[in-house]
């Protein structure tokens, strides 16, 4: 039996409580991941100059560098790892759709969302199945 390779997931969100919620959902719903969290989008961007995640999950609206800025710059420099953008507003869909149309591997999650939907989207982006669920 071959063990699945651990995948790196970077979570970028300047809202502490939202970041914690996603971290909990990720660690309980997606297998074989190493989670790195960034409160500051500028620090996350600087870290991407040194290393690349297998999946980036970023908020759209942040105080410093917005998710749109990160995604557009990743696309411009040719990074191909998947990106999931989380949003609570309807303004994000337009720019995400524009990047999808250009060929970027980017998806959108509208908040609030069901954990199972988040697990499935994250697992698919990583090419991994979500953890098995037990029914009560």
């Amino acid at each position: 039996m071959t063990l699945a390779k651990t995948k790196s997931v970077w979570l970028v969100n300047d809202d502490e409580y939202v970041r914690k919620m996603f971290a909990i959902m990720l660690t309980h719903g997606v297998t074989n991941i190493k989670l790195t969290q960034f409160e500051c989008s500028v620090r996350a961007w600087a870290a991407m100059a040194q290393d690349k995640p297998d999946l980036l999950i970023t908020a759209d609206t942040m105080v410093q560098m917005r998710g749109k800025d990160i995604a557009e710059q990743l696309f411009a420099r040719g990074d191909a790892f998947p990106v999931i953008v989380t949003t609570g507003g309807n303004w994000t869909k337009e720019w995400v759709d524009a990047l999808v149309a250009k060929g970027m591997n980017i998806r959108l999650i509208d908040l609030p969302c069901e954990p199972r939907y988040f697990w499935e989207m994250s697992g698919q982006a990583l090419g991994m199945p979500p953890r098995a669920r037990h029914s009560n």
Side-chain angles (χ1 to χ4, degrees):
M1 177 164 75
T2 305
L3 293 175
K5 177 185 175 264
T6 299
K7 304 280 185 146
S8 64
V9 177
W10 290 11
L11 179 58
V12 182
N13 196 309
D14 61 5
D15 184 314
E16 175 185 5
Y17 297 106
V18 173
R19 195 174 59 254
K20 285 180 180 181
M21 175 197 64
F22 279 123
I24 290 167
M25 286 197 308
L26 278 166
T27 56
H28 291 333
V30 182
T31 59
N32 297 325
I33 64 167
K34 178 184 179 255
L35 181 61
T36 303
Q37 298 182 54
F38 293 89
E39 177 181 351
C40 175
S41 54
V42 173
R43 285 195 190 114
W45 178 253
M48 280 183 255
Q50 305 299 317
D51 196 11
K52 309 281 188 267
D54 292 305
L55 171 61
L56 172 67
I57 301 172
T58 184
D60 180 19
T61 55
M62 293 181 280
V63 174
Q64 293 181 334
M65 189 177 196
R66 295 182 40 164
K68 179 181 180 183
D69 302 324
I70 293 171
E72 287 175 341
Q73 290 182 42
L74 289 172
F75 181 76
R77 74 179 193 191
D79 285 321
F81 56 83
V83 176
I84 295 175
V85 179
T86 63
T87 187
N90 58 6
W91 56 83
T92 307
K93 184 174 180 358
E94 185 177 321
W95 68 260
V96 169
D97 287 349
L99 287 171
V100 167
K102 292 178 181 178
M104 186 173 186
N105 186 357
I106 187 169
R107 298 174 172 120
L108 177 66
I109 293 182
D110 288 312
L111 300 179
C113 72
E114 291 289 323
R116 182 168 303 278
Y117 178 71
F118 180 69
W119 292 326
E120 289 171 3
M121 186 177 285
S122 300
Q124 287 172 358
L126 291 165
M128 302 166 62
R131 287 186 179 170
R133 299 280 162 247
H134 302 292
S135 52
N136 293 335

